[in-house]
Amino acid sequence: MNGAESLVKTMLASGVETCFANPGTSEMHFVAALDDHPEMRCVLCLFEGGTSGAADGYFRMARKPAATMLHLAPGFGNAFSNLHNARKAGSAVVNVMGEHATYHLKFESPLKGDTDGISRAISHWTRTSETALDVAGDGAAAIRAARMKNGQIATLILPANTAWGDGAEPVEAAAPPPLLRPSGDLLDAAAEALRQPDSALLVGGLALFGPGRDLASRVAAGAGCRLLAPLHAARLDRGAGSLPIEQLVYVIEANQKILAGLKHLVTCGTGAPVNFFAYPGKGSVPTPPDCHILDLCDGTMDVEYALSELAKRLNAPDTPPAPVPLDLPEMPEPDADLTPETAAAVIARHIPENAILVNESVTAGAPLAGATYAARRHDWLPTMGGAIGQGLPAAVGAAVACPDRKVIALSGDGSAMYTLQSLWTMARERLDVTVVIYANRGYQILHGELKNLGVTRVGRNAHAMFDVEDPLLDWVSMARGHGVPASKVTTPGELSTALQTGLDTAGPYLIEVTL
């Protein structure tokens, strides 16, 4: 077998069964090898940012890495922003970046670039295969690296001649090393801090869903402290039947209010809270100045062990507290104005049980968090790193990972334009995704940010850089042009009807919500 074939066989032997791809000439032998192995699901994305965003969403739900196929340094550059989001989410991703044949690199060909440099700027692990005989072992090492520390970005650079040359036998990736654990002294100190008045446990990562969420809730109950989640939680179990948790928000002043009076904060599976940006006259963190912060363990460590040990030290109850009861918002009048608030109420009422909400609706979707808190149970996947254009690709990945679950992707019109091509992938793969586009005609968050920075005069140039009103984006036409049926709504009643149509449709459906 050649090197590319040994790589595909190594992936399959190691449980990597999905590849989000955007290939080029240097990857043709990898393409041929994938073609010979139909048990590997290959999903074509029409932009490399779609491949990396899909791999992120896939891992968050499947809890195992997918591969991406990226074309040389420029293709990797196109994938960079959503690899940034994936890194912030702690997602395991195995990138295969094509490279010119090793003997061709001495020439300054048009697509020659710094493949190693661009990879190291975002990847936790990078390696270039030197020969075809190295490819299988290098591929196994990449998969192992991606699985380390609860999820990392691993990039294997594959020169074309190592793909077409005679390769070695496939290798099954070794298990990752054990996760680091906090010391007994640090666990004792954390337990003591949580026993104090005005204390809180801030959890992230694996503590926000599954067994970890149960443990965190029992720890908080045993300590009698508050239980908090960060605003940016890669996967958050929410809705009726989930365990109660307070979540931080975007606005600095609102977070300061949530955290006011806090004297002790223990973090587990995440870091201490930090403001999204710096603003004149405002601090960088929302916690009170006299709050003592104890970082017990970050998201790369053994979070479940840390929570289990805290539970022992705090004599936590064997069962968690009562779950969130179902409490749907009132249905707005059908002909009322369609606002972010009325839209959120309608969406909350329509969320089906066990849905996945991929949320990139930054401004217009702000009321969604409150409206959906006690909706039917669902997983909530936000954009983790702040790089926009993640929502639609992540919905692709989540739908591929969980074909038996409804996926609802919520995005502003400005964010969705970054990775519009994902609609085509949804149609090609017949993915069960209902897309809701908040058509607020621009990058509305930037108007607020301008004000936060003390700029009070907004002139022609600022409006021209923030608004997308001339010409207006026609989302119904764009969706249909990508093979996705769509409708436009202007009232809560129309939104309700369209949502039901989308959720009843076996495949993708897009709704343009005109605000």
Side-chain angles (χ1 to χ4, degrees):
M1 71 187 77
N2 63 27
E5 290 167 338
S6 73
L7 177 57
V8 174
K9 290 180 182 295
T10 291
M11 287 180 171
L12 290 169
S14 305
V16 178
E17 303 160 338
T18 302
C19 180
F20 297 101
N22 189 283
T25 302
S26 57
E27 294 81 46
M28 287 299 99
H29 283 80
F30 189 34
V31 170
L34 291 167
D35 193 41
D36 287 338
H37 294 82
E39 62 270 38
M40 174 74 78
R41 183 172 184 180
C42 297
V43 179
L44 176 61
C45 302
L46 301 184
F47 175 63
E48 292 90 342
T51 67
S52 51
D56 178 15
Y58 179 90
F59 176 81
R60 294 202 218 176
M61 297 309 304
R63 303 305 301 172
K64 61 182 181 180
T68 72
M69 185 196 305
L70 304 170
H71 185 43
L72 301 166
F76 194 95
N78 285 339
F80 197 97
S81 63
N82 275 331
L83 287 175
H84 166 81
N85 288 326
R87 180 169 177 139
K88 292 291 186 179
S91 291
V93 179
V94 179
N95 298 309
V96 179
M97 180 180 8
E99 174 63 291
H100 289 297
T102 53
Y103 58 80
H104 194 64
L105 289 172
K106 63 184 178 181
F107 303 105
E108 195 59 39
S109 58
L111 277 169
K112 179 182 177 181
D114 186 359
T115 51
D116 186 81
I118 195 169
S119 173
R120 291 186 185 279
I122 194 65
S123 305
H124 298 86
W125 181 98
T126 298
R127 181 180 296 176
T128 301
S129 289
E130 297 296 330
T131 72
L133 292 172
D134 296 327
V135 171
D138 291 345
I143 295 166
R144 182 175 187 263
R147 290 173 173 159
M148 291 172 61
K149 299 183 179 181
N150 290 319
Q152 296 192 132
I153 309 297
T155 300
L156 176 63
I157 301 170
L158 191 65
N161 56 321
T162 69
W164 70 55
D166 291 338
E169 289 297 311
V171 179
E172 183 177 351
L179 297 169
L180 292 177
R181 293 177 168 180
S183 68
D185 288 345
L186 192 58
L187 285 161
D188 290 341
E192 183 61 27
L194 292 175
R195 291 190 185 99
Q196 303 306 310
D198 302 316
S199 63
L201 174 64
L202 176 68
V203 295
L206 294 171
L208 293 176
F209 61 93
R213 178 69 168 273
D214 181 278
L215 272 171
S217 297
R218 293 196 293 111
V219 167
C225 69
R226 295 167 66 189
L227 182 63
L228 304 175
L231 168 64
H232 293 94
R235 177 178 172 184
L236 180 62
D237 179 17
R238 302 176 81 247
S242 68
L243 298 172
I245 194 165
E246 297 178 73
Q247 190 173 14
L248 299 181
V249 295
Y250 181 85
V251 179
I252 293 175
E253 291 79 9
N255 267 346
Q256 289 173 332
K257 186 175 181 180
I258 292 171
L259 300 172
L262 205 61
K263 300 297 184 185
H264 298 273
L265 179 67
V266 174
T267 66
C268 184
T270 187
V274 61
N275 297 335
F276 210 88
F277 294 107
Y279 301 99
K282 299 179 182 180
S284 292
V285 297
T287 43
D290 59 346
C291 178
H292 177 259
I293 299 174
L294 190 155
D295 292 317
L296 178 60
C297 74
D298 62 30
T300 70
M301 297 172 66
D302 195 338
V303 175
E304 290 192 17
Y305 168 83
L307 291 172
S308 296
E309 291 298 308
L310 283 178
K312 294 175 186 177
R313 287 163 169 77
L314 293 165
N315 296 315
D318 293 332
T319 57
V324 174
L326 181 67
D327 185 14
L328 298 175
E330 291 293 325
M331 180 67 187
E333 290 296 322
D335 295 325
D337 290 338
L338 192 54
T339 66
E341 290 74 22
T342 57
V346 175
I347 292 167
R349 293 184 64 86
H350 279 272
I351 295 171
E353 188 73 22
N354 205 31
I356 302 168
L357 267 65
V358 180
N359 183 31
E360 197 179 22
S361 52
V362 181
T363 46
L368 271 170
T372 59
Y373 177 79
R376 295 175 190 88
R377 196 162 183 174
H378 58 276
D379 280 303
W380 179 274
L381 277 59
T383 299
M384 287 296 293
I388 63 176
Q390 189 263 353
L392 298 185
V396 167
V400 170
C402 302
D404 56 334
R405 298 178 65 175
K406 292 286 184 181
V407 178
I408 302 174
L410 304 133
S411 180
D413 48 4
S415 298
M417 283 299 294
Y418 274 56
T419 45
L420 176 68
Q421 310 89 340
S422 296
L423 295 175
W424 183 89
T425 302
M426 293 176 191
R428 156 73 77 90
E429 299 293 323
R430 311 293 193 267
L431 299 179
D432 200 0
V433 181
T434 299
V435 178
V436 177
I437 300 293
Y438 285 98
N440 55 10
R441 310 308 184 194
Y443 301 102
Q444 299 302 332
I445 190 171
L446 297 181
H447 289 283
E449 294 300 327
L450 202 65
K451 183 178 179 181
N452 287 338
L453 289 168
V455 179
T456 57
R457 294 179 58 193
V458 181
R460 177 180 179 275
N461 282 345
H463 279 295
M465 287 185 284
F466 294 171
D467 297 332
V468 289
E469 295 182 346
D470 183 18
L472 290 176
L473 299 171
D474 185 344
W475 280 96
V476 172
S477 295
M478 288 190 289
R480 290 174 179 169
H482 286 77
V484 176
S487 60
K488 180 178 181 177
V489 301
T490 59
T491 67
E494 291 174 353
L495 175 57
S496 178
T497 300
L499 277 169
Q500 196 58 55
T501 299
L503 293 168
D504 290 341
T505 298
Y509 189 86
L510 183 141
I511 304 165
E512 178 180 353
V513 177
T514 305
L515 299 175

